[in-house]
Amino acid sequence: MHVVKKIEIIANSFELAKILDNLDKSGVHSHAVIRNVAGKGLRGTTEDLDMTMLDNVYILAFCMPEQLKRVVENIKPLLNKFGGTCYVSDVMEIRSVRCVASM
């Protein structure tokens, strides 16, 4: 097990390609994207996705702690310009070299 940084981004789907490109430029080459995300933010408003033209996406990615500064430098300007939010937390990664089914 070792510590990695978990990066969670919620943003407009229109900016998805730019965000993923900037993650890739930062050295974060793998991610998961969940589409059609809705919720209530700090502004206290909720948004019905059926009534909007664009939906939100949730991007989940992980990086090594030493990569985080570059990720923030690349993602923050996009979020400031187009909106969205990003959360970073410490998590433990467990790497398995043996398939559980073979045990």
Side-chain angles (χ1 to χ4, degrees):
M1 291 191 320
H2 61 280
V3 175
V4 295
K5 297 292 185 179
K6 177 171 68 170
I7 304 162
E8 299 174 275
I9 301 170
I10 301 171
N12 191 288
S13 64
F14 187 73
E15 302 307 323
L16 179 60
K18 292 176 186 172
I19 292 170
L20 296 180
D21 184 52
N22 277 288
L23 283 174
D24 197 51
K25 287 178 183 176
S26 302
V28 179
H29 303 296
S30 59
H31 59 269
V33 176
I34 301 171
R35 297 179 186 275
N36 300 324
V37 175
K40 183 176 178 181
L42 294 175
R43 296 183 198 120
T45 59
T46 58
E47 204 172 83
D48 184 359
L49 294 179
D50 293 334
M51 304 300 282
T52 61
M53 295 292 289
L54 300 170
D55 58 334
N56 291 323
V57 291
Y58 172 83
I59 304 161
L60 176 65
F62 299 90
C63 70
M64 298 304 293
E66 58 271 11
Q67 292 176 286
L68 185 60
K69 182 179 180 192
R70 186 161 184 200
V71 170
V72 171
E73 289 171 351
N74 286 327
I75 296 298
K76 190 174 181 179
L78 281 175
L79 296 178
N80 284 339
K81 184 175 181 179
F82 300 109
T85 186
C86 179
Y87 299 95
V88 177
S89 54
D90 292 327
V91 296
M92 297 295 292
E93 179 182 26
I94 302 171
R95 289 195 179 161
S96 176
V97 293
R98 292 176 40 197
C99 178
V100 174
S102 67
M103 295 181 154

